[in-house]
Amino acid sequence: MTDQGTSTGRIAFLGLGHMGGPMAANLVKGGHEVVGFDPFPAAADAARAHGVEVAGSAEEAAAGASVVLTMLQAGQQVLDLYRGKDGQPGLLAGAAPGTLFLDCSTINVVEAREAATAATDAGHRFVDAPVSGGVVGAEAATLTFMVGGDDADFAAIHPVLELMGKRIVHCGGHGAGQAAKVCNNMILGVSMIAVSEAFVLGEHLGLKDEVLFDVAAHASGQCWALTTNCPVPGPVPTSPANRDYQPGFSGALMAKDLKLALQAIESTGVAAQMGPLASRIYDEFAAAGGAVRDFSGIITDIRDRSSHP
Ligand code: NAD
């Protein structure tokens, strides 16, 4: 990519939503020419206000770009854009040979590998680079990128990712970034349920939340769900529990990521039990109003379903 002038080349940015908008703005701040597209007019307008040149279609944005970055909600959207649908040719067909397709969306590992095969079969390069860090990290350019791709493409895309994040981890070949993301978020979903159940159990046993926090935060129960995103108000003033569970990381996104974990578990035949259970619990949470709340709001469901202490 560097040999094709990508470090100063044009970047097409497709999907200028909650994450993509601020990420694109950081690329502009870093000196790149960024041509974006999003069918949602408010997203396109917000990006334009941050210096992104807005095109009338994904194809128009991608024309002449050396990197085509996608930040979409689902894998099928990425594949449809790449390969085209309803008789439309798709971006892979129109791009200059050797274009680097960089997908930062969270999608399943199988779809990421399918996208990689489609891109490389068409004479292009592909890197999957899902992120963690949320909208706050996207705005502050402090995202963590989990990257799947070959060594040369990783090295080439690194300077671009550095403008949007502070930790960039090469996880392996195509799909390895998505694999790392899905495993990490399965830990997160399961551990948030465990922490929440422990607080409710403590309450029923007469323990004050602050006391349990004080013990567990310095003992073997310590984890991010407890010490950073604590599901009870008080011990960690910045956690969403202190603002009535406004996200943060929404229940809808946790349910989505656990669904991806479930698909990965089923496709690999791993004898996991907690991941599928967490997936079911977060599906129910999201369906019952938790979709727009922080995922730590699961504790209120557990409390509500428990008999009174
Ligand atoms: P979002 O819905 O805000 O943004 C997606 C955007 O893509 C929308 O604005 C939509 O209009 C646009 N879009 C749809 N089809 C398009 C197309 N064909 N061409 C161009 N744009 C198109 O979602 P988001 O919160 O920004 O999340 C994006 C991805 O990042 C998801 O995969 C999500 O799982 C992942 N993620 C989100 C967070 C978070 O906190 N929001 C954190 C980590 C990872």
Side-chain angles (χ1 to χ4, degrees):
M1 196 173 63
T2 311
D3 51 344
Q4 290 164 29
T6 305
S7 57
T8 52
R10 169 198 273 220
I11 298 176
F13 205 119
L14 310 175
L16 301 163
H18 291 99
M19 297 293 288
M23 289 165 70
N26 283 325
L27 292 178
V28 172
K29 266 191 224 159
H32 282 281
E33 182 191 357
V34 181
V35 183
F37 172 70
D38 194 302
F40 183 48
D45 290 346
R48 191 184 284 114
H50 286 96
V52 174
E53 188 186 322
V54 176
S57 67
E59 292 73 19
E60 201 185 300
S66 47
V67 175
V68 176
L69 193 164
T70 36
M71 192 52 169
L72 306 174
Q73 283 192 333
Q76 196 57 51
Q77 290 175 313
V78 177
L79 290 169
D80 286 348
L81 257 184
Y82 280 19
R83 300 190 294 216
K85 66 168 196 173
D86 303 332
Q88 297 300 311
L91 301 179
L92 297 176
T99 300
L100 200 149
F101 283 81
L102 167 63
D103 182 40
C104 295
S105 325
T106 302
I107 67 175
N108 86 39
V109 178
V110 172
E111 286 168 324
R113 293 191 174 136
E114 214 176 314
T117 301
T120 52
D121 283 355
H124 304 302
R125 290 173 293 167
F126 177 85
V127 167
D128 51 294
V131 304
S132 77
V135 175
V136 172
E139 285 168 349
T142 55
L143 294 170
T144 292
F145 284 91
M146 293 151 268
V147 185
D150 68 29
D151 289 347
D153 292 342
F154 175 73
I157 204 66
H158 197 278
V160 172
L161 299 181
E162 261 184 330
L163 297 172
M164 301 182 284
K166 69 167 189 212
R167 191 144 191 271
I168 298 147
V169 184
H170 192 189
C171 301
H174 294 144
Q178 298 293 353
K181 167 87 182 172
V182 85
C183 291
N184 178 73
N185 279 26
M186 187 172 83
I187 296 173
L188 179 59
V190 169
S191 60
M192 181 55 81
I193 294 167
V195 167
S196 298
E197 289 182 353
F199 271 114
V200 177
L201 179 61
E203 290 161 9
H204 280 240
L205 294 172
L207 271 180
K208 286 190 167 45
D209 290 342
E210 292 75 11
V211 172
L212 178 56
F213 178 86
D214 197 30
V215 171
H218 301 97
S220 43
Q222 192 277 332
C223 61
W224 191 93
L226 176 72
T227 57
T228 301
N229 214 80
C230 188
V232 297
V236 181
T238 51
S239 80
N242 298 281
R243 43 174 207 271
D244 198 23
Y245 301 97
Q246 283 170 37
F249 186 61
S250 70
L253 283 176
M254 179 49 84
K256 172 194 163 174
D257 288 359
L258 285 169
K259 187 76 77 202
L260 296 177
L262 185 62
Q263 290 166 355
I265 287 166
E266 285 171 355
S267 69
T268 54
V270 168
Q273 297 188 59
M274 302 303 288
L277 183 56
S279 175
R280 186 163 60 72
I281 290 171
Y282 269 106
D283 270 351
E284 287 169 7
F285 174 69
V292 294
R293 305 177 77 208
D294 189 77
F295 79 116
S296 60
I298 193 79
I299 193 169
T300 57
D301 273 23
I302 297 165
R303 237 188 237 117
D304 290 349
R305 286 202 310 272
S306 304
S307 52
H308 291 294

